[in-house]
Amino acid sequence: MEAPKHFDPNRERWEDWLQKYSWYETATEMKKKEPEVQVASFMTIIGSDVYRKIYRTFVLSPEETKKVEEIKKRFTNYFLPKKNYTMERYNFNKLQQSMNLSQDCAYKHQSASLEDELIKDRVVVGIHDDHAREKLLSDPDLDLDKAIQICMAAERTNKEIKVMQQRSDQEVSVIKITSGQKRM
């Protein structure tokens, strides 16, 4: 069984790496081994950069340094700090639709259905594209995922239309220039 690669916070999400390590732990029956061996294995696999830059900042008692679950918990608290939902709701409610509203609303919300409903309602109210809003309002079974898909499709379409208009404007300019040269 090959161990996961060293954790690189710039390339991978903590929870994804930790899941890989958990599978490795299970496959190698790591939890049956002595606590010091578990810690040594975890720290070796996580990598020396993370050890030097992050682990050394942890204040651990001598007993805690021998408990892999405590060390994992410290890394989790470091890489996934507690969310300030008040601030996230404030930022969300301050949003006016930008070209990325659907992506902004899709962000970070792994939410309960009431929260999804409130977010969906905010998307419907906040969108500036009347055609997309009409589509959202006409669907009696609209949920947050569908609302995000509709908004993202509308954003892509609007971008494509702008590109097509720019090309068309350029072609018209070329035609005007060409026809103007013939008259001279």
Side-chain angles (χ1 to χ4, degrees), residues 118-133:
L118 294 171
I119 293 168
K120 176 193 70 174
D121 293 345
R122 183 72 182 159
V123 168
V124 172
V125 169
I127 193 162
H128 289 254
D129 183 324
D130 291 332
H131 180 28
R133 182 182 301 111

Side-chain angles (χ1 to χ4, degrees), residues 85-114:
Y85 288 105
T86 303
M87 179 60 79
E88 286 190 27
R89 284 192 303 269
Y90 170 80
N91 289 333
F92 181 78
N93 286 314
K94 293 294 286 180
L95 278 178
Q96 289 298 322
Q97 192 208 4
S98 64
M99 286 306 288
N100 295 318
L101 176 63
S102 58
Q103 291 163 353
D104 291 340
C105 75
Y107 77 121
K108 305 173 198 162
H109 280 283
Q110 301 159 346
S111 41
S113 61
L114 175 60

Side-chain angles (χ1 to χ4, degrees), residues 1-148:
M1 174 76 195
E2 187 175 323
K5 294 186 185 327
H6 295 317
F7 178 61
D8 181 351
N10 297 317
R11 294 178 181 247
E12 186 171 22
R13 292 178 25 200
W14 169 249
E15 51 267 47
D16 294 338
W17 186 89
L18 192 58
Q19 179 61 61
K20 290 176 194 173
Y21 182 80
S22 176
W23 291 329
Y24 172 78
E25 231 177 8
T26 301
T28 60
E29 299 182 331
M30 185 64 64
K31 293 189 182 207
K32 292 181 179 179
K33 298 180 180 171
E34 294 296 317
E36 291 87 359
V37 173
Q38 293 178 34
V39 169
S41 175
F42 179 79
M43 293 308 299
T44 300
I45 293 171
I46 202 167
S48 59
D49 281 349
V50 174
Y51 169 77
R52 279 192 314 276
K53 294 175 184 173
I54 300 165
Y55 178 80
R56 287 183 174 177
T57 67
F58 298 157
V59 178
L60 297 164
S61 70
E63 295 82 33
E64 290 172 325
T65 63
K66 297 174 185 170
K67 297 178 181 174
V68 75
E69 291 306 317
E70 179 61 31
I71 294 169
K72 286 181 195 176
K73 185 174 115 185
R74 296 294 180 101
F75 277 112
T76 298
N77 290 340
Y78 179 87
F79 289 114
L80 304 174
K82 186 175 179 182
K83 290 184 180 183
N84 181 341
Y85 288 105
T86 303
M87 179 60 79
E88 286 190 27
R89 284 192 303 269
Y90 170 80
N91 289 333
F92 181 78
N93 286 314
K94 293 294 286 180
L95 278 178
Q96 289 298 322
Q97 192 208 4
S98 64
M99 286 306 288
N100 295 318
L101 176 63
S102 58
Q103 291 163 353
D104 291 340
C105 75
Y107 77 121
K108 305 173 198 162
H109 280 283
Q110 301 159 346
S111 41
S113 61
L114 175 60
E115 188 174 359
D116 284 354
E117 289 296 313
L118 294 171
I119 293 168
K120 176 193 70 174
D121 293 345
R122 183 72 182 159
V123 168
V124 172
V125 169
I127 193 162
H128 289 254
D129 183 324
D130 291 332
H131 180 28
R133 182 182 301 111
E134 184 180 319
K135 210 169 183 185
L136 293 166
L137 290 170
S138 67
D139 186 345
D141 298 319
L142 185 69
D143 61 14
L144 180 58
D145 290 333
K146 280 186 194 175
I148 290 169

